[in-house]
Amino acid sequence: MHGIFSILLIWLLSATTPAGAAQWRFVTEDFPPFTYPADTPVSETAGVAAAGPFVEVVHAICARLQHQCTITLYPWRRAFRLAEQGQVDGIFTLTRSPQREQVFHISRMLVTSRYSVFAQTDSSFVFNHPNDMTGRRVGVYGPSGTSYVLSERLKSVPDVRFHLTADNRRLLRMLQSGRFGVEGVAVLNQDVAWHLIEDERLKGIREAGELGPISYGIGLSRKTVSAAQFEAFEQALDAAIGDGTVPAILRRHKLEAAY
C-alpha cells in the first residue's frame, strides 16, 4: 500500500508541474549586429550573457512555448562543440549545410545578409568572379559557416590560400596591417564587417565586391530536442512572424528578413 501511495504522489506532483518547466540552453557567439555580449560581467567559465536581435527572437519563441531558456555567448568553436555534442539544446546563428542538417534541426532562415570581399584601400583589386581570387591569400573567419561556403565557392579556383582566423575583429585588423600581403583579401559577412569597421574605427579597408547572399537560422540539437519539440518550436516561430513580433525585431535592428 505504501508503494502505491508513493507512486500516486509522484504522479500527482508531475501532473501539477507546469508545461513551461522545460528548460532549454542556447549558445551563440560574438557576431554583431546579429548577436553580441550583453552588458554583464565577463566570465571565462560561465560564459557571457548574450544580446541582439537573434537573442530577442529566441526569447520570444521560448515565451510562447512557456520554456525557460538561457542564452550564453562563447567563442564559436566552443559554442558549436557544446551544441554538436548535445551539451546544450540550441545554437545560432546557423547556416545550412548537409553536415549540420545531420546534427541539428534547423529552423527556417530568419535573416539574409551577404558575404563580401574586403581589401586594403591602397589595393586596386575589384571582385567580380571567383576566378579573381586566383593566386591570392584569403583571410576568413573559421572554421565556420563562412569558411565552409567560401571553400565551396572557390574550390575550382587555382592557387587560393586560405587563412582561418577565429575572430572577425582580429581578421579585419590583420587585413588592415597587411598580414595577408599586398594582394591579400578577407571575406566576411557584410553586415558584420561594416559594424566592426565602425565600432573599431578601422581605417584603410574597403569593400571590393560581393561574393553572394547568405541566410541564418536557429539550430536545435537532435540529441536533446525531439522532432515533435522542434515542430512546436517552428510553429511558435511562424506565429511570432505572423503577428509581427519577429518583423518588428528585425526592423528595429535594420536587418533584412529571409522569409
Side-chain angles (χ1 to χ4, degrees), residues 125 127 129-138 154 156-161 183-185:
F125 175 70
F127 176 82
H129 187 272
N131 284 333
D132 294 335
M133 296 289 212
T134 300
R136 295 182 184 273
R137 192 176 189 193
V138 182
L154 300 185
S156 62
V157 179
D159 195 28
V160 177
R161 292 157 291 158
E183 298 299 323
V185 296

Side-chain angles (χ1 to χ4, degrees), residues 19-26 62 66-70 89 224 229:
Q23 295 185 356
W24 279 357
R25 292 181 58 206
F26 288 84
C62 288
Q66 296 185 326
H67 286 4
Q68 297 176 8
C69 296
T70 60
D89 304 291
T224 65
Q229 288 174 314

Side-chain angles (χ1 to χ4, degrees), residues 8 56 91 100 110 115 133 139 158 161 167 173-174 184 220:
L8 287 173
E56 294 174 26
I91 185 171
R100 290 180 177 184
L110 293 176
Y115 287 138
M133 296 289 212
R161 292 157 291 158
D167 182 89
R173 287 195 293 266
M174 291 175 71
L220 298 180

Side-chain angles (χ1 to χ4, degrees), residues 163-222:
H163 181 98
L164 299 185
T165 302
D167 182 89
N168 276 311
R169 287 182 171 85
R170 185 165 182 266
L171 176 63
L172 285 171
R173 287 195 293 266
M174 291 175 71
L175 176 65
Q176 181 189 41
S177 65
R179 288 281 299 278
F180 303 132
V182 177
E183 298 299 323
V185 296
V187 173
L188 293 86
N189 175 288
Q190 187 182 68
D191 289 312
V192 173
W194 284 116
H195 179 95
L196 292 176
I197 287 170
E198 181 178 353
D199 190 56
E200 302 278 328
R201 295 184 174 87
L202 298 174
K203 304 294 183 182
I205 297 174
R206 65 176 179 83
E207 190 170 349
E210 288 187 5
L211 187 67
I214 184 66
S215 297
Y216 300 104
I218 301 162
L220 298 180
S221 171
R222 292 184 182 273

